[in-house]
Amino acid sequence: MSHAELDQTAKSILIENDQGGYTIPTKGLYPYQWNWDSVFVALGFATFDQDRAWREVEMLFEGQWRDGMVPHILFRKDDPSYFPGPSVWGTDGGPIPSSGHSQPPVAATVIRDLVNADPSGKALERAAALLPNLMNWHSWFLTYRDPKGLGVLAVIHPWESGRDNLPDWDEALRAVEVKDIGPYERKDTSHVDPAMRPHKEDYDRYLSIMAACRAVDWDPAEVARTCPFFVADPGVTFIFLRANRDLLSLAEQLGKTEEAEEIRGWISRMEAGARTLWHEELKAHVAVDQRSGKMADGVSSAAFLAPYAGLTGDETLGALQAHFDRIAGKVRYLMPSYDPDHQSYEPLRYWRGPVWAMINYMIARGFAEAGDLARAEKLRADTGGLIAASGFAEYFSPETGAGAGGGTFSWTAAIWLAWASPSHTQQAA
Ligand code: GLC
């Protein structure tokens, strides 16, 4: 397929997965609105329909909880082909049935991009309407995912990280007692190959964490205090730190001085905290279990998001460049979600090795901003190459480039349109 044909296919995927203002990740496997999927999808829509891009984000915030949380899934209609559905979550925090935790907060960054892409001033008005929602959501993260004010955000469930079965969660997850789950039937393994999905032992624990949170009615302070899983995640932490810088710029553009002052405080807190995730021997930022104090021992793709978060000190950047080159010598396509030199690496099992397009996009953005255009371009070329060879898959093998998981995937299509497509760079040039 030519690049122009791929552009066309990518657009049709977004249009096909559009449910009338919000987009599902893919038919069958993921039939609802997912938080960070939607936000990346907005970037894709923005390349041909700005208004539709805004709708995507606005509809996501329609599901915001009274306490400020923006859920990871909005169940706008019941779909029996998905498990666990609304009745298993048992939440009552917002206007739309939803899951009970959040997902990486990329929204402020993308909203700023949408504003910058529209000189008419209309986009800034739409951003102004969402500013209070963003402030509340960010403040919710700081209150309930960093209750001790450490400057790092924890996730209460592997799914909250968006990187479901990452090896970094293994140990903390094993410590979760399996209870209160009853018999259940997974649906994911009937849509795609079970060899590419999390194991049953993981799934039992995913559901046990949900049961524990249901037992405290998803009260966020109680969840922070008692949830059996509470692990500081460099991915969410870096994405949040970056999002605060973009939120600050929006607040300044809108003349919101009080908000701007508050956000500056959040940024300093996060900059200080991020250092505590630095693993001295590995020379990378890793997850830290907040219950046991244990640090993970592998380099995940989230470590490469430090520059995206604005952490571009020489030690960090130099160490990441060295890891980048070492890993590039091991696999054909960057960036594997987990270090191929680590014993837990599996090239086709979801977040234990495969390449994800939107992670590459964020890593490349940070590297480019830090002045490392060559590595940023390598990521763009690899992402484009994977899609050209294997289509708009959910994720890809770093070794063979084979596409895996769900097909006709919305965020892969969106990232192609917004960044990886050579036609896009030709237009920009
Ligand atoms: C999986 C991914 C998560 C994504 C969701 C929908 O759960 O791990 O990041 O948001 O699928 O695509």
Side-chain angles (χ1 to χ4, degrees):
M1 241 194 250
S2 71
H3 295 136
E5 282 165 340
L6 283 165
D7 289 352
Q8 218 31 62
T9 309
K11 278 188 199 172
S12 341
I13 289 175
L14 294 188
I15 292 164
E16 272 283 302
N17 288 341
D18 181 3
Q19 305 293 297
Y22 75 93
T23 308
I24 56 171
T26 189
K27 291 201 172 120
L29 187 60
Y30 296 122
Y32 297 111
Q33 183 175 21
W34 259 258
N35 188 321
W36 70 334
D37 295 69
S38 259
V39 177
F40 288 115
V41 156
L43 278 181
F45 272 120
T47 63
F48 62 99
D49 186 344
Q50 297 275 333
D51 177 60
R52 180 59 187 77
W54 278 98
R55 257 332 270 149
E56 187 78 32
V57 183
E58 287 160 354
M59 284 193 79
L60 175 66
F61 279 95
E62 282 174 11
Q64 186 163 30
W65 280 22
R66 293 178 290 279
D67 63 18
M69 198 262 281
V70 183
H72 107 288
I73 310 175
L74 296 181
F75 301 112
R76 287 177 182 274
K77 51 187 178 209
D78 216 0
D79 192 319
S81 71
Y82 183 80
F83 178 86
S87 62
V88 188
W89 285 94
T91 62
D92 181 27
I96 298 170
S98 75
S99 63
H101 57 64
S102 203
Q103 244 190 346
V106 273
T109 300
V110 168
I111 288 174
R112 184 182 176 201
D113 291 340
L114 295 182
V115 167
N116 288 346
D118 170 35
S120 78
K122 279 209 184 116
L124 194 59
E125 275 170 39
R126 286 174 100 155
L130 287 176
L131 191 75
N133 304 70
L134 288 165
M135 291 297 294
N136 289 341
W137 188 24
H138 284 211
S139 161
W140 172 89
F141 264 114
L142 290 158
T143 311
Y144 300 116
R145 296 301 186 251
D146 180 23
K148 296 190 180 142
L150 304 173
V152 291
L153 297 187
V155 290
I156 61 131
H157 195 295
W159 294 343
E160 189 162 58
S161 72
R163 299 183 297 147
D164 304 7
N165 64 339
L166 188 75
D168 286 8
W169 318 135
D170 288 357
E171 207 171 321
L173 198 61
R174 265 198 304 276
V176 172
E177 194 187 338
V178 175
K179 60 175 194 181
D180 304 330
I181 59 173
Y184 66 93
E185 192 197 331
R186 281 171 73 169
K187 300 282 169 70
D188 58 325
T189 41
S190 63
H191 296 290
V192 296
D193 182 354
M196 296 175 185
R197 302 289 304 178
H199 295 282
K200 173 166 181 354
E201 304 81 75
D202 298 331
Y203 236 83
D204 285 351
R205 288 172 177 83
Y206 296 157
L207 294 173
S208 300
I209 299 171
M210 287 163 63
C213 296
R214 224 169 34 228
V216 296
D217 290 328
W218 293 99
D219 174 275
E222 278 304 293
V223 166
R225 209 172 58 77
T226 62
C227 183
F229 189 94
F230 205 76
V231 183
D233 173 17
V236 173
T237 299
F238 289 157
I239 287 170
F240 181 71
L241 175 48
R242 167 57 184 255
N244 279 318
R245 298 187 198 281
D246 294 312
L247 188 59
L248 174 60
S249 153
L250 286 171
E252 284 172 345
Q253 280 187 68
L254 290 163
K256 300 278 181 192
T257 43
E258 267 173 44
E259 283 86 344
E261 208 35 49
E262 191 174 6
I263 302 163
R264 279 188 204 102
W266 296 346
I267 292 173
S268 325
R269 168 169 159 187
M270 300 304 295
E271 282 177 341
R275 289 191 206 113
T276 65
L277 302 180
W278 181 255
H279 192 302
E280 253 322 310
E281 280 150 51
L282 270 186
K283 301 269 177 256
H285 294 92
V286 300
V288 180
D289 185 341
Q290 303 283 283
R291 302 288 187 232
S292 69
K294 279 203 181 149
M295 289 191 115
D297 66 355
V299 181
S300 78
S301 52
F304 294 94
L305 291 175
Y308 175 84
L311 307 177
T312 52
D314 287 349
E315 196 193 358
T316 307
L317 192 61
L320 289 180
Q321 287 165 330
H323 283 305
F324 188 110
D325 297 346
R326 173 180 58 80
I327 294 174
K330 283 254 149 182
V331 296
R332 190 153 150 222
Y333 297 98
L334 293 176
M335 178 57 75
S337 40
Y338 216 66
D339 192 333
D341 281 327
H342 193 278
Q343 72 217 18
S344 301
Y345 165 78
E346 293 179 75
L348 274 175
R349 199 181 288 276
Y350 220 35
W351 288 96
R352 302 179 80 86
V355 178
W356 295 71
M358 80 300 176
I359 299 277
N360 277 4
Y361 162 74
M362 289 188 289
I363 299 175
R365 194 163 170 179
F367 272 68
E369 286 165 356
D372 189 342
L373 298 179
R375 290 185 182 80
E377 175 53 24
K378 155 96 176 129
L379 286 164
R380 201 191 62 76
D382 281 9
T383 311
L386 283 167
I387 294 171
S390 303
F392 296 94
E394 185 177 8
Y395 51 86
F396 303 87
S397 162
E399 295 176 7
T400 65
T408 57
F409 222 86
S410 295
W411 64 13
T412 312
I415 292 298
W416 170 267
L417 289 171
W419 174 64
S421 164
S423 347
H424 171 75
T425 25
Q426 274 152 23
Q427 273 161 27

